């Protein structure tokens, strides 16, 4: 996979470069800020761009840079890295796109296997969300859930949390030790309770379900 990297922290940038090379990826360029990454990718094609969320030219320069990259290279995957799992970052990322995009914590991508799995999933068009953030979204106190989200059962919340991580039905089934058929039934129930109609594509209904949960968390704060 051809990868471009923008990270203003020199030590982390060099460490990530070594991980990418150890995993067999071709790193087409490394930059310390978003403007330099945009300039690089204007002439160097890449499959995925990895961006620090908090980097120059602005406090959230990675998000601003990603908006520019998604407009210029709509088929390029985007992986956001941060020290912080924040729902407002995730909301902004999902506004940029819901295909070939990911948001992971820096300390969680410190191995070849995890980084490769994340990049492979993004490269295949999936959305990948940091599990700790997805878990937090669905483990608020019972009385803190708003609206239709409060109607979901505990098992449906488990399924929704794994959906929020970007997992497939088979992946959810493996995590919960149930059959894919059971997962399909739970997802159908979630779509019904969240009023996500069948005339919307399956992928987008999954993303909309996650967005509904994100909004319920934000409204409860």
């Amino acid at each position: 996979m051809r990868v471009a990297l923008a990270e203003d922290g020199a030590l982390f940038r060099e460490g990530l470069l070594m991980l990418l090379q150890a995993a067999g990826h071709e790193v087409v360029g490394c930059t310390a800020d978003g403007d330099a990454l945009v300039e690089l990718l204007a002439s160097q094609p890449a499959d995925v761009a990895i961006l620090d969320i908090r980097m120059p030219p602005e406090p959230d320069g990675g998000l601003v840079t990603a908006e520019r990259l998604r407009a210029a290279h709509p088929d390029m995957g985007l992986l956001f890295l941060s020290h912080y799992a924040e729902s407002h970052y995730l909301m902004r990322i999902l506004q940029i796109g819901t295909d070939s995009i990911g948001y992971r914590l820096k300390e969680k991508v410190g191995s070849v296997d995890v980084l490769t799995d994340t990049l492979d999933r993004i490269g295949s068009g999936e959305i990948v969300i940091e599990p700790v953030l997805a878990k937090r979204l669905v483990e608020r106190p019972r009385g803190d859930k708003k609206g239709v989200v409060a109607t979901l059962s505990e098992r449906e919340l488990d399924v929704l949390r794994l959906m929020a991580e970007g997992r497939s039905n088979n992946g959810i089934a493996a995590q919960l030790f149930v059959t894919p058929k059971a997962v399909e039934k739970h997802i159908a129930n979630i779509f019904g309770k969240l009023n996500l109609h069948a005339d919307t594509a399956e992928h987008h209904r999954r993303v909309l379900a996650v967005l509904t949960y994100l909004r319920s968390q934000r409204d409860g704060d």
Side-chain angles (χ1 to χ4, degrees):
M1 188 176 292
R2 294 171 59 86
V3 180
L5 171 63
E7 162 65 54
D8 62 327
L11 188 60
F12 184 79
R13 184 173 65 245
E14 291 305 312
L16 192 57
L17 175 60
M18 292 176 61
L19 276 176
L20 288 165
Q21 291 172 336
H25 299 294
E26 178 185 354
V27 180
V28 300
C30 291
T31 70
D33 65 79
D35 287 342
L37 181 67
V38 172
E39 183 177 351
L40 169 73
L41 290 173
S43 58
Q44 289 279 357
D47 301 306
V48 178
I50 302 177
L51 310 97
D52 184 9
I53 290 181
R54 294 185 178 183
M55 69 174 181
E58 302 178 39
D60 56 354
L63 296 170
V64 175
T65 300
E67 290 170 344
R68 296 168 64 189
L69 291 177
R70 185 49 61 105
H73 313 281
D75 295 328
M76 182 188 300
L78 300 170
L79 171 58
F80 297 89
L81 298 178
S82 177
H83 287 300
Y84 312 96
E86 301 286 352
S87 59
H88 66 274
Y89 285 157
L90 182 54
M91 289 290 285
R92 181 91 174 269
I93 289 167
L94 292 175
Q95 289 170 354
I96 294 170
T98 57
D99 297 300
S100 301
I101 202 162
Y103 173 19
R104 298 300 309 266
L105 290 177
K106 289 183 176 181
E107 63 265 29
K108 299 298 185 181
V109 293
S111 74
V112 169
D113 289 345
V114 172
L115 184 58
T116 295
D117 176 69
T118 298
L119 289 173
D120 285 347
R121 290 170 65 189
I122 291 172
S124 65
E126 294 184 26
I127 179 171
V128 182
I129 297 174
E130 182 61 45
V132 68
L133 178 57
K135 184 176 182 181
R136 187 186 307 160
L137 294 178
V138 296
E139 290 188 351
R140 297 173 63 82
R142 277 187 173 275
D144 215 14
K145 298 194 285 284
K146 297 280 186 174
V148 293
V149 173
T151 67
L152 299 181
S153 70
E154 289 301 319
R155 178 57 84 185
E156 288 162 358
L157 294 178
D158 289 339
V159 171
L160 181 55
R161 172 174 59 82
L162 294 167
M163 286 170 61
E165 294 179 15
R167 296 185 183 275
S168 65
N169 286 8
N170 286 339
I172 294 171
Q175 288 286 314
L176 297 180
F177 303 102
V178 298
T179 66
K181 205 73 175 173
V183 172
E184 290 176 13
K185 182 177 179 181
H186 288 309
I187 291 175
N189 289 341
I190 291 168
F191 289 160
K193 290 180 179 180
L194 299 185
N195 297 314
L196 301 175
H197 302 296
D199 57 355
T200 306
E202 169 80 9
H203 170 72
H204 290 292
R205 283 203 290 173
R206 295 173 83 95
V207 174
L208 287 170
V210 173
L211 282 172
T212 300
Y213 221 112
L214 280 167
R215 293 187 184 112
S216 76
Q217 186 212 33
R218 181 189 60 190
D219 293 343
D221 289 337

